Amino acid sequence: MRIKNILVSQNAPEDVERSPYGDLIKKYSINIDFYKFFKIKCTTAIEFRKTHINILEYESIVFSSTNTIDKFFELCKDMRIEMPESMKYFCATESIALYLQKYVPYRKRRVFAAKDAQVASFYDLLIKNKSVSMLIPCSQDGIPSQLESVLTENEIKFAQAVVFKIEFADLVHDVDMDKYDMIAFFSPNGVKSVQHNYPDFQQGEKAFAALGNAAKQAVEEAGWTLHVMAPTKEYPSLTEALDAFLKEYASRRR
């Protein structure tokens, strides 16, 4: 396997050269391009009211991504809804819980995070709080089937709240996929965008990286092989995981 060109399915940092990606580019003499595989559009208050979901009827909110946090509170602001002090928040990872502080005073609210980055820990957290009704903000595609099964099997009262919509980018015309030896995914929607644009897509010799369990699961469900995963105990960030991988597979090593 020869890694020379990497496509990161995110917008580029403001200063790539000074970012961890810039360090990888210099260290391994590789090329890294950035391109967002999809766009997120917030659900409007008018659209959400048609679902007849009353956010304040639920005792907790469940978050699995920072994007979902942003869109949920954007919708709440549009609808002039303020979260009560009694509201609980369950987060898939510690980093998501920390990001929640952007909207929720950490000390004054009840914020819970999974013990580690494993999806099983997140499910355990929800099961331990099964007596609490849960509202789960999500996209128009809904929550993962596995999560829905866990909630249903454990008789947890929950509802899905569509707070944003996904619009896939035109990868066929905007990106030369054949150019890249590796693709880094940051969410299941990045995987779905590839499948949408290329119904017969074959991974071939491309290496895949994923940030977060949701992206990891999407890659595996697509039948693809995952080569790099973060966060883990050993590699808290994707760039650290990529660094370890590139030590063996970067082009200058071949």
Side-chain angles (χ1 to χ4, degrees):
M1 183 180 291
R2 181 172 179 268
I3 305 298
K4 184 174 178 60
N5 294 292
I6 299 176
L7 177 59
V8 175
S9 60
Q10 283 280 67
N11 293 322
E14 288 188 10
D15 191 338
V16 175
E17 290 186 3
R18 295 186 179 182
S19 74
Y21 291 106
D23 294 337
L24 294 178
I25 292 170
K26 295 174 184 177
K27 186 175 182 179
Y28 297 106
S29 300
I30 58 174
N31 173 63
I32 300 179
D33 293 330
F34 299 85
Y35 187 84
K36 187 77 171 180
F37 282 15
F38 60 91
K39 295 180 180 179
I40 298 176
K41 296 188 69 174
C42 186
T43 300
T44 65
I46 294 176
E47 291 172 329
F48 189 78
R49 288 191 180 99
K50 292 179 181 179
T51 66
H52 303 294
I53 291 177
N54 184 344
I55 293 174
L56 298 182
E57 282 185 357
Y58 293 85
E59 300 168 279
S60 68
I61 312 295
V62 179
F63 290 117
S64 58
S65 72
T66 55
N67 271 332
T68 307
I69 291 176
D70 286 335
K71 297 310 175 186
F72 174 76
F73 283 100
E74 185 177 336
L75 176 63
C76 287
K77 182 179 180 180
D78 194 19
M79 297 180 68
R80 298 181 181 178
I81 294 176
E82 292 188 8
M83 294 294 104
E85 293 288 335
S86 59
M87 185 67 76
K88 294 182 179 181
Y89 301 90
F90 299 114
C91 302
T93 66
E94 183 66 30
S95 61
I96 293 173
L98 292 173
Y99 185 82
L100 186 59
Q101 294 183 71
K102 180 178 178 181
Y103 300 97
V104 176
Y106 205 87
R107 293 180 181 177
K108 296 182 179 180
R109 311 289 176 129
R110 298 180 179 182
V111 180
F112 304 88
K115 291 183 179 180
D116 54 50
Q118 301 301 312
V119 68
S121 296
F122 180 42
Y123 293 162
D124 286 342
L125 172 65
L126 301 181
I127 294 171
K128 289 178 181 178
N129 293 275
K130 61 185 299 182
S131 63
V132 180
S133 59
M134 302 177 183
L135 183 66
I136 311 176
C138 58
S139 72
Q140 76 271 30
D141 292 332
I143 63 177
S145 57
Q146 186 179 6
L147 173 56
E148 186 171 5
S149 296
V150 168
L151 296 170
T152 302
E153 290 171 4
N154 288 277
E155 299 181 344
I156 298 174
K157 180 183 177 182
F158 73 96
Q160 302 182 49
V162 177
V163 298
F164 63 93
K165 299 177 181 178
I166 300 298
E167 292 185 356
F168 297 130
D170 186 354
L171 301 180
V172 175
H173 294 96
D174 295 344
V175 179
D176 180 9
M177 297 291 279
D178 292 335
K179 170 185 175 181
Y180 299 100
D181 311 300
M182 185 174 198
I183 300 175
F185 293 102
F186 286 73
S187 83
N189 292 309
V191 174
K192 291 177 183 177
S193 182
V194 172
Q195 294 175 311
H196 173 78
N197 281 273
Y198 304 95
D200 300 319
F201 181 83
Q202 298 294 321
Q203 181 178 4
E205 296 184 359
K206 290 185 190 299
F208 284 162
L211 179 65
N213 286 304
K216 173 181 180 290
Q217 184 177 342
V219 169
E220 293 173 345
E221 288 180 351
W224 302 337
T225 300
L226 187 65
H227 300 80
V228 178
M229 170 64 188
T232 63
K233 291 182 180 179
E234 190 174 8
Y235 307 115
S237 71
L238 183 61
T239 49
E240 288 175 298
L242 287 172
D243 189 10
F245 180 79
L246 290 170
K247 284 180 181 178
E248 181 175 0
Y249 294 110
S251 59
R252 73 176 189 177
R253 301 272 177 171
R254 294 299 181 187

